[in-house]
Amino acid sequence: MAIPAHDVLRFGNQAKKREEGQSMGDVAARFAEIVGDANLLSGEAIPEDYAHDEALTTSAQRPAHLAKPGSAEEVAELLKAASEHGVPVTARGSGTGLSGGARPREDGLVISFERMNAVLEIDTENHVAVVQPGVTLSDLDEKTTEAGLGYTVYPGELSASVGGNVGTNAGGMRAVKYGVTRHNVVGLQAVLPTGEIIRTGGKTSKVSTGYDLTQLIIGSEGTLAIATEVIVKLYPRLPHGATVFAPFETFDEVMTVVPKIISSGLAPHILEYIDNLTLAAISYNEKLSLGVPDSIRDTAQAYLVVALENRDSDRLHSDVEELGGLLGDLGAMDVYVLEGPSARKLIEAREKAFWTAKAAGADDVIDVVVPRSAMPEFLRKAREMAMSREAGALGCGHAGDGNVHLAIFCKDTDKRKQLLTDIFALGMELGGAISGEHGLGRAKAGYFLDLEDPAKIALMRRIKESFDPAGILNPGVLFAERA
Amino acid sequence: MAIPAHDVLRFGNQAKKREEGQSMGDVAARFAEIVGDANLLSGEAIPEDYAHDEALTTSAQRPAHLAKPGSAEEVAELLKAASEHGVPVTARGSGTGLSGGARPREDGLVISFERMNAVLEIDTENHVAVVQPGVTLSDLDEKTTEAGLGYTVYPGELSASVGGNVGTNAGGMRAVKYGVTRHNVVGLQAVLPTGEIIRTGGKTSKVSTGYDLTQLIIGSEGTLAIATEVIVKLYPRLPHGATVFAPFETFDEVMTVVPKIISSGLAPHILEYIDNLTLAAISYNEKLSLGVPDSIRDTAQAYLVVALENRDSDRLHSDVEELGGLLGDLGAMDVYVLEGPSARKLIEAREKAFWTAKAAGADDVIDVVVPRSAMPEFLRKAREMAMSREAGALGCGHAGDGNVHLAIFCKDTDKRKQLLTDIFALGMELGGAISGEHGLGRAKAGYFLDLEDPAKIALMRRIKESFDPAGILNPGVLFAERA
């Protein structure tokens, strides 16, 4: 395939808008020339799946074009062509996002990374993997296992792609010990809207030479640059693990236990809470039997799930014992140590909480983050806000991180928007943010615009412009037009 | 003190250059009005200390003005006034930087944070501290000890300030376990050149709402915004620690041991190498007696220092035993377990390596970072490059991070510049960067401009402009004019 030679767009050039008389077909032909006919679809030929991600409140929208590039150079050519023709571009991983960040524009081009899905290198000396953005977490998990290492970001959905995780700065259950995506990505290859291909960071965990472009691109939801290669940190896999499960009578008790577990130095890699209704729902859906007697189940308001891991099985057992004692002292109604299969089932069921909520008819799912000490107040007030409007707000979350996942049940769109605005404002007042790991996408961008400091929004817009002066990368994501 | 009301400078306004007839005195009066007469010095009244930091190659330059603000609001007013008058501004912590990032301009204003030095809060529930930028690491260490917690960034110089550490993204010996400054700062209050005061991040370790301004400001060496409050992560202090010290016959052996220690899961919090000449120098200077017999001292080319810590003393002892075995198997000539005082002395002596090099007449000190697997090749070639020019390059470094500190002995300026250019280019070719933790400042900015991808430099300049269109923040730092 011959890549046509074009002048590199100079910074400051506005992309030429599609001129009158220039048909969609011309643009499509250009894209097809770049990726090959077999890898470019237009109009009705594009499968419906590419019209949305998993956000519950973002309407589906089929894009005008879908390209499946095979290399960074092809991505660069696509961006140059899109800039010239003023075509908005949405990068897409596996489409598992929850905020509509991969929902394209009607006149847009979706760049899907399904062909760029190779694990390029597992580097056991530097403890990193170099991967293409379309690599799924399950694929990376499998490949790293062979080397005794692991990538520690587990956002629940293992079909998610690494590139998508970079876009939203995905988190997940193990973040309490290992951090979120931005703490585990040390380098990128990325394409700027100008078509320039840059490399940021590298196989090192520290660099101090100017602005950290890696960190700036992570979490930018495809609005600044498009990642075409990702270097992730790997950790040694610890062979011994145990999961402890403890019901509590009140939410406040669960939440006061959390900082004490962190202070203990036991360093759990999972520290989750699940409210009673959510546990009932996921247990029912996943046929999960945890052996909790009815008397406890009827009175427990929330449950804590704590997982420990160790190089050494004796140390693990003594840590589990210490943790059990701590939980008992701090008011747990009982403490269950789950063995291999039931522990795995509980964690898997917890990971599917989003699907359980969706199946139960949830109208939205949010992931507010607050300082963990503010979780009791946040949860109490958010539930009151919902109840006073005859709506529901329940769920589970990453207790160690103060990251609360709430399924919102409220059919009326306007009422729900007001409820969400109030809950988000509450989270921000308590020192938190609208999203801990799902991102803003299109679904939460309007709330962000309404609630965030205008000076920060203006600054972010200027940063956006410094990367993408023509505004072709994922317009409508992060920076909503006010509804 | 009354703060005069000024219109907030709108973005896009270029700072007015000082007009003819408007004297330096006018500007000084304005600054004095903001911070109070006692906190504003001008001209010869400014102590010589404010003319430099600890960089070996940057000439001292007394600034025109020195202001010591007492609040973020005063910093905001200073920046507004500086913008209006076109006065370049250099933020200064303790002045312990090694790259000239705090070396002011002749016509400039230094903002010194010595009065903003309060630890505002030690939050034991969220495991964070909220501090003003002038707080020193030793002060923070003392205050957090009382709470059983600790801030884990130890760049060696404990008189350094947290604000300065944010500027350079300081690292240090414990980065191998705990990361560098950017991994340990979760929120900032910062003043933009417009005088707008923003808050980024918070007491949470994850946020996914737009661009990560915290990460962008960290490591920006005072060129984007000025931090006026810093929220840092704290970790539980582990009460039991041991330091293991092992001589090796060759550099290559030391370096091949490093990834194996990381893979072991022993999770050392210090993993350093020291070359034979440097160990001799710091031992002599610090009157350090490590009990290494002459026969070993005469043949060892380099030494590894590994420190372990644990909640439990039995576990520590068994880890130390395992580590000793591992080092022996991998070719250590001997293994010494250092007890409390001698371990502390060794670490302190290592921390003073910069001063030892300076006292020995080093002409520059650099801190190239490379993937740790590339350290043997980097060190071998860098030393050859030096020797072939009758220069010296020796030192120590953070072996776990691939961060090599080399003292460069080469009196001739031109020859030294060429040698450094070659060594930096070598580091970059091997996948590394010019600096791992010292930053570019003024001292290394020219090399960066010569060696870095022009597309990245252009992008960084555009980002700079999105924060600081008038270019008042630390001009000459990061972005050098070509020599």
Side-chain angles (χ1 to χ4, degrees):
Chain A
M1 191 214 63
I3 295 175
H6 300 291
D7 291 328
V8 173
L9 277 182
R10 285 189 39 235
F11 169 70
N13 275 6
Q14 295 293 314
K16 287 177 229 145
K17 293 285 158 209
R18 205 158 53 233
E19 286 159 31
E20 295 286 337
Q22 187 184 33
S23 75
M24 292 283 288
D26 294 342
V27 188
R30 176 78 182 281
F31 292 151
E33 204 180 348
I34 296 167
V35 294
D37 287 337
N39 299 310
L40 196 272
L41 299 177
S42 290
E44 295 297 311
I46 300 171
E48 198 276 338
D49 225 28
Y50 294 93
H52 61 85
D53 57 17
E54 298 297 343
L56 294 179
T57 59
T58 311
S59 59
Q61 173 61 61
R62 205 189 297 262
H65 311 283
L66 165 67
K68 303 176 183 175
S71 69
E73 288 69 27
E74 288 184 10
V75 174
E77 291 300 322
L78 287 172
L79 290 193
K80 278 194 250 176
S83 284
E84 282 170 33
H85 292 272
V87 177
V89 176
T90 298
R92 179 185 173 91
S94 301
T96 58
L98 295 174
S99 298
R103 193 283 230 162
R105 280 255 302 249
E106 185 181 5
D107 55 345
L109 165 70
V110 165
I111 298 184
S112 172
F113 284 94
E114 58 211 85
R115 289 176 62 222
M116 291 175 69
N117 65 347
V119 174
L120 300 172
E121 188 187 359
I122 307 277
D123 177 338
T124 55
E125 278 193 282
N126 296 303
H127 293 90
V128 295
V130 184
V131 306
Q132 290 188 311
V135 165
T136 64
L137 296 176
S138 60
D139 195 23
L140 183 55
D141 196 56
E142 196 182 303
K143 296 265 172 34
T144 52
T145 301
E146 295 160 17
L149 298 170
Y151 178 58
T152 54
V153 179
Y154 281 77
E157 183 55 58
L158 289 180
S159 69
S161 72
V162 174
N165 276 202
V166 166
T168 59
N169 186 25
M173 287 197 247
R174 305 195 189 186
V176 66
K177 179 170 178 187
Y178 292 104
V180 298
T181 303
R182 74 166 66 260
H183 306 118
N184 289 282
V185 170
V186 289
L188 294 173
Q189 181 195 60
V191 182
L192 304 182
T194 52
E196 290 163 304
I197 301 173
I198 60 170
R199 286 194 174 272
T200 72
K203 288 180 171 184
T204 61
S205 54
K206 65 202 295 196
V207 175
S208 195
T209 53
Y211 310 141
D212 194 325
L213 301 174
T214 312
Q215 290 297 326
L216 188 52
I217 293 171
I218 294 171
S220 68
E221 304 191 36
T223 65
L224 296 181
I226 295 187
T228 44
E229 213 174 281
V230 186
I231 308 180
V232 298
K233 268 193 199 175
L234 303 178
Y235 285 86
R237 283 187 193 255
L238 302 182
H240 305 284
T243 301
V244 173
F245 177 71
F248 285 83
E249 259 176 62
T250 68
F251 262 106
D252 283 17
E253 277 173 304
V254 174
M255 297 308 164
T256 51
V257 169
V258 169
K260 301 211 164 68
I261 293 175
I262 306 261
S263 292
S264 71
L266 287 165
H269 63 289
I270 293 180
L271 183 45
E272 298 284 306
Y273 84 89
I274 308 178
D275 72 19
N276 49 0
L277 278 174
T278 304
L279 185 71
I282 64 179
S283 299
Y284 179 79
N285 274 23
E286 302 297 324
K287 300 183 181 53
L288 190 66
S289 167
L290 294 163
V292 180
D294 290 356
S295 61
I296 289 184
R297 206 167 49 198
D298 291 347
T299 48
Q301 204 177 50
Y303 298 78
L304 205 61
V305 181
V306 191
L308 300 177
E309 55 179 5
N310 212 299
R311 297 191 301 127
D312 180 283
S313 76
D314 288 346
R315 290 185 186 188
L316 178 71
H317 288 132
S318 106
D319 283 358
V320 168
E321 214 163 291
E322 186 178 336
L323 174 63
L326 190 63
L327 290 169
D329 291 349
L330 294 167
M333 299 167 78
D334 207 341
V335 176
Y336 307 89
V337 180
L338 302 181
E339 300 298 328
S342 59
R344 200 165 46 245
K345 277 198 86 169
L346 173 63
I347 298 299
E348 280 170 8
R350 161 64 190 89
E351 280 174 343
K352 289 181 185 151
F354 167 75
W355 299 104
T356 305
K358 190 178 174 183
D363 301 294
D364 206 346
V365 166
I366 61 175
D367 86 305
V368 173
V369 64
V370 294
R372 58 177 169 254
S373 67
M375 283 181 82
E377 184 178 349
F378 174 76
L379 273 170
R380 191 170 54 246
K381 289 188 174 166
R383 287 153 64 98
E384 281 166 14
M385 282 173 175
M387 284 201 299
S388 72
R389 290 166 221 213
E390 289 159 358
L394 49 96
C396 48
H398 310 308
D401 299 322
N403 193 189
V404 181
H405 294 275
L406 286 177
I408 304 292
F409 295 83
C410 179
K411 294 287 161 229
D412 183 280
T413 309
D414 290 340
K415 236 167 99 176
R416 191 173 68 238
K417 277 191 182 159
Q418 193 50 56
L419 174 61
L420 256 60
T421 302
D422 293 347
I423 291 178
F424 288 145
L426 169 67
M428 290 177 71
E429 259 164 51
L430 292 171
I434 289 178
S435 171
E437 55 185 31
H438 293 175
L440 298 170
R442 293 176 181 279
K444 306 300 186 291
Y447 301 99
F448 185 63
L449 190 67
D450 286 342
L451 296 170
E452 185 51 274
D453 175 6
K456 279 167 71 178
I457 301 226
L459 178 59
M460 288 189 195
R461 282 191 199 277
R462 298 196 299 269
I463 295 169
K464 160 78 174 172
E465 210 173 324
S466 73
F467 277 77
D468 181 23
I472 62 158
L473 288 185
N474 234 0
V477 168
L478 293 193
F479 305 105
E481 271 91 63
R482 203 173 289 271
Chain B
M1 191 215 62
I3 295 175
H6 300 292
D7 291 329
V8 173
L9 277 182
R10 287 190 35 237
F11 169 70
N13 276 5
Q14 295 294 312
K16 289 177 227 144
K17 291 288 157 205
R18 205 157 55 232
E19 286 158 30
E20 293 288 335
Q22 186 184 35
S23 77
M24 289 286 286
D26 295 340
V27 188
R30 175 78 181 281
F31 291 151
E33 204 181 348
I34 295 167
V35 294
D37 287 338
N39 299 310
L40 195 272
L41 298 175
S42 290
E44 294 297 311
I46 299 172
E48 198 274 339
D49 225 28
Y50 294 93
H52 60 85
D53 58 17
E54 298 297 343
L56 294 179
T57 59
T58 312
S59 59
Q61 175 59 59
R62 205 188 297 261
H65 311 283
L66 165 67
K68 302 175 184 177
S71 67
E73 289 69 27
E74 288 183 11
V75 174
E77 291 301 321
L78 287 171
L79 289 194
K80 279 194 251 177
S83 284
E84 282 170 33
H85 293 272
V87 177
V89 176
T90 297
R92 181 186 173 90
S94 301
T96 58
L98 296 174
S99 298
R103 194 283 230 161
R105 279 257 301 247
E106 184 180 7
D107 54 346
L109 165 70
V110 165
I111 298 185
S112 172
F113 285 95
E114 58 211 85
R115 289 176 63 222
M116 292 177 67
N117 64 347
V119 174
L120 301 172
E121 188 188 359
I122 307 277
D123 177 338
T124 55
E125 280 194 280
N126 296 304
H127 292 89
V128 295
V130 184
V131 307
Q132 290 187 312
V135 165
T136 63
L137 295 176
S138 60
D139 196 22
L140 182 56
D141 195 55
E142 197 182 301
K143 296 266 173 30
T144 51
T145 300
E146 296 160 16
L149 297 170
Y151 177 57
T152 53
V153 180
Y154 282 78
E157 183 55 57
L158 288 180
S159 70
S161 72
V162 174
N165 276 201
V166 167
T168 59
N169 185 26
M173 286 197 249
R174 304 195 190 187
V176 67
K177 180 172 177 185
Y178 293 104
V180 299
T181 303
R182 76 166 66 260
H183 306 119
N184 288 283
V185 170
V186 289
L188 295 173
Q189 182 193 60
V191 182
L192 304 182
T194 52
E196 291 163 304
I197 302 174
I198 60 171
R199 284 195 175 272
T200 71
K203 287 180 170 183
T204 60
S205 53
K206 64 200 296 194
V207 175
S208 193
T209 53
Y211 310 141
D212 194 324
L213 301 174
T214 312
Q215 290 298 325
L216 188 51
I217 293 169
I218 295 170
S220 68
E221 304 191 39
T223 64
L224 296 181
I226 295 187
T228 46
E229 215 175 279
V230 185
I231 309 180
V232 298
K233 268 193 199 175
L234 302 178
Y235 285 86
R237 281 186 194 258
L238 302 182
H240 305 285
T243 301
V244 172
F245 177 71
F248 285 82
E249 258 177 63
T250 67
F251 262 106
D252 283 16
E253 277 173 303
V254 174
M255 297 310 164
T256 50
V257 169
V258 169
K260 301 213 163 65
I261 293 174
I262 306 259
S263 293
S264 71
L266 287 164
H269 64 288
I270 294 178
L271 182 46
E272 298 284 306
Y273 83 90
I274 309 178
D275 72 20
N276 50 358
L277 279 173
T278 304
L279 185 73
I282 65 179
S283 300
Y284 178 80
N285 274 24
E286 303 297 326
K287 299 182 182 54
L288 189 67
S289 168
L290 294 164
V292 180
D294 289 356
S295 61
I296 289 183
R297 206 166 49 198
D298 292 347
T299 49
Q301 204 178 50
Y303 297 78
L304 206 61
V305 182
V306 191
L308 300 178
E309 55 180 6
N310 212 298
R311 298 190 301 127
D312 180 281
S313 75
D314 289 344
R315 289 185 187 188
L316 177 70
H317 288 132
S318 103
D319 282 358
V320 167
E321 213 163 293
E322 185 178 337
L323 174 63
L326 191 61
L327 290 169
D329 291 348
L330 294 168
M333 298 167 77
D334 207 342
V335 176
Y336 307 88
V337 180
L338 301 180
E339 299 300 327
S342 59
R344 200 163 48 245
K345 278 197 86 170
L346 173 61
I347 299 298
E348 280 169 11
R350 161 64 189 88
E351 281 174 343
K352 288 179 186 153
F354 167 74
W355 299 105
T356 305
K358 189 178 175 183
D363 300 294
D364 205 347
V365 166
I366 61 174
D367 85 307
V368 173
V369 63
V370 293
R372 59 178 167 254
S373 67
M375 284 180 82
E377 184 177 351
F378 175 77
L379 274 169
R380 191 171 54 245
K381 289 189 175 167
R383 289 154 65 99
E384 281 167 12
M385 282 173 175
M387 285 200 299
S388 72
R389 292 164 220 215
E390 287 158 1
L394 48 98
C396 48
H398 311 308
D401 299 322
N403 193 190
V404 180
H405 294 275
L406 286 178
I408 303 293
F409 296 83
C410 179
K411 294 288 159 225
D412 183 278
T413 310
D414 291 339
K415 233 167 100 177
R416 191 174 66 240
K417 277 191 182 158
Q418 193 50 55
L419 173 61
L420 256 60
T421 303
D422 293 347
I423 291 179
F424 288 146
L426 168 67
M428 290 176 71
E429 258 165 51
L430 292 170
I434 288 178
S435 171
E437 55 185 30
H438 294 176
L440 298 170
R442 292 177 181 281
K444 306 299 186 290
Y447 300 100
F448 184 63
L449 191 66
D450 285 343
L451 296 170
E452 185 52 273
D453 174 5
K456 279 167 70 178
I457 301 225
L459 178 59
M460 288 190 195
R461 281 192 199 276
R462 299 196 300 267
I463 294 169
K464 159 80 174 169
E465 210 174 322
S466 73
F467 276 77
D468 181 24
I472 63 159
L473 288 185
N474 234 1
V477 167
L478 292 193
F479 305 105
E481 271 91 64
R482 204 173 287 273

